[in-house]
Amino acid sequence: MHDITVVDLSRLQFAATALYHFLFVPLTLGMSFMLAAMETVYVVTGKSIYKQMAQFWGKLFMINFALGVATGLTMEFQFGTNWSFYSSFVGDIFGAPLAIEGLMAFFMESTFVGLMVFGWERLSKGQHLAVTWLVALGSNLSALWILVANSFMQDPQGAAFNPTTMRMELHSFQQLIFNPDAQSKFVHTSIAGYVTAAIFVAGISAWYMLKKRHVDLAKRSFRMAALFGVLATIGVITLGDALGFVAAHAQPTKLAAMEALWKTEPGPMPFNLIAFPDQSLQQNKGAVRVPYLLSLLVTHSLDGSMAGFDTLQKKAAQRVENGIPAVQALETLSKDPHDAAALAQFKTHEKDLGYGFLVQRYAPELDKVTPQQVQEAAKDSIPPVAAVFWSFRAMVGFGLLMLAFFVMAVLYTLRNKVQDKRWFLIAAAWMIPIPFLANEAGWLVAELGRQPWTVFGVLPTWMSASTHSVGYMAFSLIGFVLLYTVFIAIEMYLMVRSIRQGPQEPGGGGRSEPGPRPQPRPANAAAVSGRYQEG
Amino acid sequence: MALYAILQVIWWLLLGVLLTGLAVMVGMDMGVGAILRYVGRNDLERRVALNIIGPHWDGNQVWFILGGGAVFAAFPLIYATAFSGFYVVMLLLLWSMIVRPLGFEYRSKLAGEGWRNVWDWSLFVSGAIPMIVFGAAIGNLFHGVPFHFEWNITSVYTGSFLALLNPFAVMCGLLSLALSVMMGALTVMNGAEGEMRERASTLVRIGAIAAIVLFAVGGFWVHGMAGYHMDANPGAGVPQTPLEQSVTVASGAWFTNFGAYPALWLVPALGFVGMLGALFAAQSGRSHLGWWLGALAWLGVIGTAGAALFPFLLPSSSNPDMSLTLWNASSSRLTLAWMLGFALVFVPLVVWYTSWAFWVMRGKVDPRRIEHDEHAY
Amino acid sequence: MKTFFYFLLFLVLAVVVILLAVLLGDQGAWYFAWLIGTAMIVLVAAAGAALLDTQEEHAAAAQRASTDARADRMA
């Protein structure tokens, strides 16, 4: 039997480490393609300033990349260490994309990133460009496989429960990878990374322009970031809409939580622009509503309707009732795998197995379930509404803000006037934290909205955790907090320092901070300066 | 059914290949970390050592990630049971490993002596500890670990953290450390010149001799140890849970496979040949040959463990009947088949471009270059 | 001979790309959109940078022309 405190601590640890990891990943996803774009211009035009750009932004990329790799290791471990039942229950499906990620994507990214950094002098221009493109492709393919795995948790397609082995097993690999949730979520996340990188580059370039340092390099970086960003932001918003459409079918509870919709209403439905959801009373304490908008957003029509929590909870209660015999049949089958009656009973109730597990939290012995416990389990099927509702609004709000920013940035930079707009440059620098906040909010919507399940409708979160003691969990949580705090402090320090130092320019021009660099020895001076003049 | 059994055996072999890849590629980088402060006497020498593996450590580390991923995909019950059962050890492994990327990437970004010393020592820790844990984990497989399953295959681990650090496991950990020191030192010999090469050569000798002794001692130790014997199970290639078999514990049982198939003695022999070969090759200055022989030694050592344990993967000391084997812990036929397809395409591809990366960065690392290259570690 | 190998390489690449496009276009429309979209985003950004270079050259040329004209008038 699981200790709910341990489950909650495991959730806290997973959320904390995943959110932390997700600070670094989007920047890697987008920055790698921006580096590829810069280097492509360098190779096509032969102008060395683009090589400087690729090298300078490449340096910042690597500071970020190191922490992304390091914290990614934690994620790979944690399914086994803290979610062992989850891992054995769906490992047959979930493990495969993770392994393929390593094999197909992470190897590519990591092997070529070494060449990207160390290979400037050993590779031809064309080879180095190919290497940079492969790093970008590798890091994004990596995201693809991780999100294929994640989508199985959101919308478990292509798998079925096998009572002989007591676990979920793969039935169709194609359904797993072409899952609509996987498709739209991958594109949404990858392109959100592009937006993150574009704001990062635009913000830092704006700061250089404000300080009148490295202006040529900053202007070009800003131009590329603005165009890169405006297209990417449009993409993110389009895909966000697509994701909502997918969720409407696969995860109605998540969608209802995003909209704080407690009661089903006939269309046309108004949209809760602002609302204060109360989970225990199951209603909103005050809301600002926009007529027609919800129907338009969710069903892409003016009079469409969607289910609210009143309907959804009733359905959940029925499914709990229907799921109980499925779990009981499994218990019989575990003692005698050849019991035909139990197998038949399981087959009849199979589709609600997960809801049977859901009520086991309140009623470990399923032959003594009370109607009250069924209701409690049904109520559990509602995710934390306020958190999902507000994370969603934060994400969308930040997204629209960034779209407005990029549209202005493109207008200014295309007229080559951005360096004169002081207020806009200051605003650009202040925009840097926004995409990071939006990314984290997006993670919260996706994963909090999935609760109370780890695999939606199939495996409840409370069952998925490992059977550890509270002491173990305290030990690991404290360890993570200490380590990760030190890491982020070091990373931020090095990042800020590298930005202040700025790019190396030919002949050291524009370096405001000479610093205690070792002077090149005469014998090497030619070789060193030659490096920056080539091309 | 036959196809399923064949896939299971193939994945058991592939697991061995991936673990060997992990041990060779990650082990050499960790070996360099472990010997960093001995082989490099000043900051510049240490930077030379770091830059020898600099372009490759990241790619090499993926062998570790792939190892974890492959266990998850092909043997989910092993991944779930072992990772959660060894919780504290796994966290120590993890924490020491996540310091490593930062050690490489951040160490030489600032000039302060204190700063660099701290990173040097963290590279030492993140080199030595994971290799000891890696060996100790395999050592614990021979003793078995205390766990059982509930009716719905929830795994429950009942042992303590300290029990995992029993003498045999520690010895296996030291064997793994010795081999990685040997490989790390050979790598330094490949990329450095002068005194550093001399010092590395000494370390190859120490590592190789220690490994030979520990491997031999380990063999005798296992001979007297209580091993596990499969009495009855639903059979190879039959979908099953770990609740359907019976297993007995018997002294010397880990040598059953070697008794039944004497050709298996070639596997430990390969280990000894590799270690001795690496030793002599390094003495005569042919460190590249030594490196390949060292990789062979790893294959022999891991192969020996696998051959002795077959078909067990993770025996249970508290409920031997619930021991995990490749028959009851593997993924379904479809998953194994798809994964095999991906492995057949991508493993050769990975080997090919990794070789290309090493070829591009071949040759000695020039200390003077490091001083002037802002990208160098 | 080298050219021939390049020809073969690109031929194989072309086949792979076409297969991928057909497969993805059929089953994974969003994946296909990502491929096309990413390529487009990168190319537009790159073209934007090239455009900036041209704009700056034009501005510099215009400035030179106007100073030349002023110099002519003064002479």
Side-chain angles (χ1 to χ4, degrees), chain A residues 15-61:
Chain A
T17 49
L19 282 168
Y20 190 91
H21 177 57
F22 204 53
L23 283 174
F24 310 102
V25 172
L27 192 57
T28 303
L29 294 179
M31 197 73 154
S32 54
F33 270 116
M34 288 209 64
L35 293 177
M38 290 168 186
E39 203 175 328
T40 303
V41 184
Y42 163 62
V43 172
V44 171
T45 67
K47 293 194 169 114
S48 67
I49 188 160
Y50 293 103
K51 186 180 177 186
Q52 277 170 45
M53 270 163 66
Q55 289 190 333
F56 169 65
W57 296 110
K59 193 168 143 188
L60 301 188
F61 171 82

Side-chain angles (χ1 to χ4, degrees), chain B residues 84-106:
Chain B
S84 65
F86 300 171
Y87 193 61
V88 175
V89 181
M90 279 292 163
L91 284 172
L92 292 180
L93 172 70
L94 170 66
W95 289 339
S96 53
M97 278 204 72
I98 58 182
V99 175
R100 235 163 56 95
L102 308 186
F104 286 116
E105 204 56 55
Y106 294 167

Side-chain angles (χ1 to χ4, degrees), chain B residues 72-160:
Chain B
F72 197 174
F75 302 103
L77 263 180
I78 299 287
Y79 175 80
T81 308
F83 277 44
S84 65
F86 300 171
Y87 193 61
V88 175
V89 181
M90 279 292 163
L91 284 172
L92 292 180
L93 172 70
L94 170 66
W95 289 339
S96 53
M97 278 204 72
I98 58 182
V99 175
R100 235 163 56 95
L102 308 186
F104 286 116
E105 204 56 55
Y106 294 167
R107 177 192 179 277
S108 302
K109 287 257 186 296
L110 299 181
E113 198 184 331
W115 169 267
R116 290 190 174 182
N117 278 336
V118 168
W119 285 117
D120 284 353
W121 284 112
S122 49
L123 281 168
F124 167 77
V125 169
S126 66
I129 288 195
M131 287 323 285
I132 292 177
V133 170
F134 179 68
I138 292 183
N140 270 307
L141 302 186
F142 285 84
H143 278 312
V145 287
F147 67 87
H148 62 268
F149 294 99
E150 290 174 4
W151 71 268
N152 62 2
I153 321 296
T154 303
S155 80
V156 181
Y157 182 80
T158 49
S160 74

Side-chain angles (χ1 to χ4, degrees), chain A residues 204-351:
Chain A
I204 293 169
S205 305
W207 186 75
Y208 284 139
M209 285 189 261
L210 267 179
K211 300 278 169 200
K212 307 241 184 297
R213 288 173 53 188
H214 320 289
V215 173
D216 281 343
L217 186 143
K219 266 186 350 198
R220 280 162 182 76
S221 303
F222 191 93
R223 163 73 62 93
M224 294 185 77
L227 289 169
F228 199 88
V230 76
L231 294 176
T233 314
I234 294 168
V236 167
I237 293 172
T238 314
L239 264 297
D241 176 63
L243 254 180
F245 212 70
V246 170
H249 299 285
Q251 295 175 292
T253 46
K254 179 189 277 183
L255 191 67
M258 278 154 68
E259 309 301 355
L261 193 70
W262 296 102
K263 287 188 179 54
T264 311
E265 297 166 33
M269 301 176 78
F271 174 75
N272 286 325
L273 192 62
I274 297 171
F276 300 95
D278 185 315
Q279 191 98 9
S280 55
L281 293 178
Q282 303 212 334
Q283 63 184 40
N284 294 329
K285 290 188 284 191
V288 179
R289 316 189 85 185
V290 184
Y292 290 99
L293 190 57
L294 185 58
S295 291
L296 191 64
L297 283 176
V298 175
T299 63
H300 293 183
S301 74
L302 278 180
D303 54 356
S305 175
M306 62 173 268
F309 282 123
D310 53 350
T311 316
L312 293 172
Q313 193 176 328
K314 246 181 240 139
K315 255 190 219 158
Q318 281 166 9
R319 295 192 71 177
V320 169
E321 301 262 16
N322 193 37
I324 291 169
V327 180
Q328 286 169 326
L330 276 191
E331 225 168 326
T332 316
L333 281 171
S334 87
K335 289 185 198 89
D336 176 14
H338 307 291
D339 187 325
L343 196 61
Q345 182 180 339
F346 174 75
K347 286 287 169 205
T348 322
H349 298 275
E350 184 180 359
K351 71 176 178 39

Side-chain angles (χ1 to χ4, degrees), chain A residues 1 13 55 59 62-63 65-67 69-70 73-74 76-77 79-82 84-85 87-88 91-92 94-96 98-100 102-104 106-108 110-115 117-118 121-123 127 164-167 169-174 327 330-331 334 463 466-468 472-473 475-476 479-480 483-484 487 490-491 493-494 497 504 517-518 520-521 524 528 531, chain B residues 4 51 54-55 57-59 61-66 68-70 72-73 76-77 79-80 83-84 87-88 90-95 97-99 101-102 105-106 109-110 115 119 150-157 159-161 239-241 243-244 329-332 334-335 338-339 342-343 346-347 350 353-354 356-357 360-362 364 368-369 371-377:
Chain A
M1 195 54 208
Q13 180 172 309
Q55 289 190 333
K59 193 168 143 188
M62 286 309 292
I63 294 176
F65 183 78
L67 214 46
V69 170
L73 282 172
T74 307
E76 167 106 18
F77 269 67
F79 295 108
T81 53
N82 291 80
S84 64
F85 188 72
S87 299
S88 57
D92 192 64
F94 190 83
L98 291 196
I100 297 170
L103 203 52
M104 175 174 175
F106 201 44
F107 252 122
M108 182 154 108
S110 302
T111 306
F112 289 116
V113 91
L115 287 181
V117 174
F118 287 87
E121 289 151 77
R122 295 206 177 207
L123 296 168
Q127 281 175 330
T164 316
T165 49
M166 289 281 166
R167 64 177 180 197
E169 288 186 356
L170 185 67
H171 271 206
S172 159
F173 192 72
Q174 295 90 316
V327 180
L330 276 191
E331 225 168 326
S334 87
M463 268 183 88
S466 306
T467 49
H468 291 311
Y472 268 22
M473 288 310 304
F475 163 76
S476 58
F480 276 115
L483 264 183
Y484 277 21
F487 286 176
I490 294 173
E491 202 252 9
Y493 174 75
L494 287 176
R497 189 173 176 278
Q504 282 192 336
R517 285 207 146 251
R521 275 174 242 161
N524 290 312
V528 170
R531 232 189 85 196
Chain B
Y4 188 27
N51 278 283
W57 72 264
D58 199 357
Q61 178 168 270
V62 182
W63 284 97
F64 179 84
I65 292 164
L66 182 60
F72 197 174
L77 263 180
Y79 175 80
F83 277 44
S84 65
Y87 193 61
V88 175
M90 279 292 163
L91 284 172
L92 292 180
L93 172 70
L94 170 66
W95 289 339
M97 278 204 72
I98 58 182
V99 175
L102 308 186
E105 204 56 55
Y106 294 167
K109 287 257 186 296
L110 299 181
W115 169 267
W119 285 117
E150 290 174 4
W151 71 268
N152 62 2
I153 321 296
T154 303
S155 80
V156 181
Y157 182 80
S160 74
F161 157 58
Q240 56 191 291
T241 65
L243 307 180
E244 301 166 47
S330 80
S331 282
S332 65
L334 187 63
T335 301
W338 270 102
M339 293 293 301
F342 274 94
F346 285 100
V347 170
V350 166
Y353 62 61
T354 305
W356 183 68
V360 167
M361 300 308 299
R362 71 194 177 279
K364 303 284 179 192
R368 283 169 307 179
R369 255 201 140 72
E371 282 191 311
H372 304 304
D373 186 352
E374 70 159 341
H375 293 289
Y377 286 147

Side-chain angles (χ1 to χ4, degrees), chain A residues 419-476:
Chain A
Q419 60 275 24
D420 308 324
K421 310 277 178 199
R422 250 190 96 77
W423 72 270
F424 190 71
L425 294 177
I426 294 171
W430 281 103
M431 285 294 287
I432 292 177
I434 301 293
F436 293 92
L437 293 174
N439 294 335
E440 303 284 281
W443 187 89
L444 287 173
V445 174
E447 309 308 325
L448 278 180
R450 193 192 63 228
Q451 297 304 326
W453 309 96
T454 43
V455 181
F456 193 83
V458 171
L459 181 66
T461 308
W462 76 267
M463 268 183 88
S464 310
S466 306
T467 49
H468 291 311
S469 64
V470 175
Y472 268 22
M473 288 310 304
F475 163 76
S476 58

